[in-house]
Amino acid sequence: MELRQADITRITEALRSGQSLLVLGESGCGKSHLGMQVGKKLEGYRFALVSYNGAAKETLTEIADQLNLSTLTADEKPKPLTAAQLRDALKDELCTTQTLLIADDTHRWSSSLRYWLEDLFRAGVLLLLLATNPPPKDIFLKLPVVELQPISSDDIRAVMLREAMDQ
């Protein structure tokens, strides 16, 4: 049984209704796993679950790769898209398809990417932001917040016992 099944169901229902969300929880509480489970459970939607990997262009490229979008120009001598071109191409794709963007560890994302997320939100793109301790500014002020409660020691022990018995 999934430890955060009630949270997954609640978040999935909110997203299905078109509501983007910010999910807060302490480090290691299962936000990334929750994001993956929500993405899989949201039927009829594609999703990309991406963490910031140190540079805006690499993060945007990872989103494009997960959504199977080309990261090359469409001319006779294709070259890699710039970060600005990737932002535009991704926004076009995200605005015209049923796609969920799950931004993991969003509190670590650069301000330029957070402003881009804000643009996506204003354009009606469905977002699920996962964060530990976000700054009280920009996109973080615009989304409803779901706070994950810590998992009890008894629940963790029960999972460990089930896993041990399965082994």
Side-chain angles (χ1 to χ4, degrees):
M1 180 172 157
E2 183 72 40
L3 282 177
R4 296 219 178 264
Q5 193 57 50
D7 293 319
I8 291 168
T9 300
R10 181 170 52 134
I11 291 166
T12 302
E13 288 172 1
L15 292 167
R16 235 184 237 123
S17 74
Q19 181 67 61
S20 292
L21 296 171
L22 169 61
V23 175
L24 299 178
E26 58 191 48
S27 184
C29 76
K31 293 181 301 296
S32 301
H33 178 74
L34 178 137
M36 180 62 72
Q37 296 306 311
V38 166
K40 289 178 180 177
K41 193 171 180 177
L42 199 59
E43 295 171 13
Y45 282 80
R46 295 184 309 158
F47 74 94
L49 190 154
V50 183
S51 291
Y52 180 66
N53 43 8
K57 185 172 180 185
E58 282 75 18
T59 303
L60 295 165
T61 300
E62 176 63 24
I63 296 168
D65 288 346
Q66 286 191 32
L67 297 176
N68 296 315
L69 296 177
S70 176
T71 58
L72 300 174
T73 59
D75 49 19
E76 27 181 89
K77 289 187 179 182
K79 40 189 189 278
L81 295 173
T82 65
Q85 290 170 321
L86 280 167
R87 279 186 183 94
D88 291 342
L90 286 167
K91 184 177 179 182
D92 290 345
E93 179 70 16
L94 292 166
C95 285
T96 58
T97 60
Q98 280 197 293
T99 305
L100 169 65
L101 178 57
I102 306 170
D104 199 8
D105 289 329
T106 318
H107 57 281
R108 294 185 178 164
W109 286 41
S110 67
S111 58
S112 68
L113 284 176
R114 291 196 317 265
Y115 293 138
W116 176 69
L117 290 172
E118 199 168 337
D119 287 342
L120 294 178
F121 174 68
R122 280 194 299 271
V125 173
L126 195 58
L127 302 172
L128 178 59
L129 307 185
L130 310 173
T132 299
N133 191 17
K137 59 183 179 179
D138 49 74
I139 186 70
F140 301 116
L141 296 176
K142 304 215 176 352
L143 298 178
V145 175
V146 173
E147 288 194 53
L148 297 179
Q149 298 305 312
I151 299 171
S152 73
S153 298
D154 289 341
D155 288 340
I156 293 171
R157 284 188 189 99
V159 168
M160 291 172 64
L161 180 60
R162 279 195 306 271
E163 289 296 318
M165 292 176 80
D166 287 346
Q167 296 293 326

